[in-house]
Amino acid sequence: MPWIVGVSGASGTPYAAAVLRALLDAGEDVDLVVSRASRLTLLDETGISFRDAHWRADLRDWLARGADGKPDTYRPDLGGVRYWNAGDLAAGPSSGSYPVRGMLIVPASTACVAGVALGLSKDLLQRAASVTLKERRPLVVAVRETPLNGQTLRQLVALDEAGASVVPASPAFYAGATHIQDLVDFVAGRVLDAAGVEHGLYRRWKGELGGGARDK
């Protein structure tokens, strides 16, 4: 069964790319939903226009780039990806009878957080998240915004109480990061940890002080 990966309009498209690459490297299938707002962010952050008619070529171009924007850094295998238009409310992930393992929203904008917390279904991303919660499947929300106001904080608490895992896109530095990709991979790795997907994206804490410095 696939994982649904929803990409909303918050800044942080490198986080989504890292999660997608890691899922595919782990042999997982992916159902991808890219919101309309996230296409603008993707264009701004990478220069890539994500087009429905050419989604596979555009996705390959996106996932091949590193967090520093350099093209052809990776060679993604997209054989396990199925793409759904965000406006298609008749798509597979809109129904609880459609078999999936769970859903990851990376990155999650505050507008996306509000829509999911309120149970809205303005697009397929929100509908799929609502279905994930009602079916008691894992939902991981990688919120990317700062500062957070009280309203958003209350909505994040509501998502936590509904069974979602809230993972702020906050990189740590104990893993010995030496490159922007290391910081991105740490966040992507924590998202996958919350979903229970094995990966090797970052150096884990082993109880030894100075381990990160020794890796540099």
Side-chain angles (χ1 to χ4, degrees), residues 46 66 69 75 77 84 125 192:
T46 69
R75 294 174 179 251
D77 181 358
W84 300 95
L125 195 158
L192 294 173

Side-chain angles (χ1 to χ4, degrees), residues 47-206:
I48 296 172
S49 296
F50 196 90
R51 303 159 295 175
D52 288 339
H54 305 280
W55 71 266
R56 191 173 292 276
D58 295 339
L59 180 62
R60 181 175 288 107
D61 188 12
W62 176 22
L63 299 192
R65 293 173 184 250
D68 57 4
K70 291 182 180 178
D72 302 321
T73 301
Y74 299 96
R75 294 174 179 251
D77 181 358
L78 305 184
V81 180
R82 184 173 187 178
Y83 170 72
W84 300 95
N85 183 287
D88 184 4
L89 291 177
S94 68
S95 172
S97 66
Y98 183 77
V100 299
R101 294 187 59 185
M103 183 174 184
L104 317 175
I105 305 178
V106 188
S109 66
T110 53
C112 175
V113 167
V116 176
L118 294 173
L120 304 181
S121 296
K122 75 168 189 176
D123 61 11
L124 180 59
L125 195 158
Q126 290 186 5
R127 172 59 184 170
S130 179
V131 167
T132 300
L133 288 176
K134 81 178 183 68
E135 297 294 330
R136 302 296 191 266
R137 295 166 180 160
L139 174 64
V140 182
V141 180
V143 60
R144 215 305 312 161
E145 189 67 80
T146 189
L148 296 172
N149 62 29
Q151 186 177 28
T152 299
L153 290 169
R154 286 188 288 272
Q155 290 160 350
L156 290 172
V157 170
L159 288 178
D160 175 78
E161 292 175 343
S165 295
V166 177
V167 181
S170 302
F173 296 86
Y174 63 78
T178 59
H179 189 276
I180 186 174
Q181 189 67 54
D182 298 327
L183 299 176
V184 168
D185 285 348
F186 179 88
V187 171
R190 295 300 287 155
V191 169
L192 294 173
D193 287 346
V197 177
E198 293 186 6
H199 65 87
L201 289 177
Y202 68 89
R203 172 188 173 274
R204 296 185 180 277
W205 177 251
K206 299 179 180 178

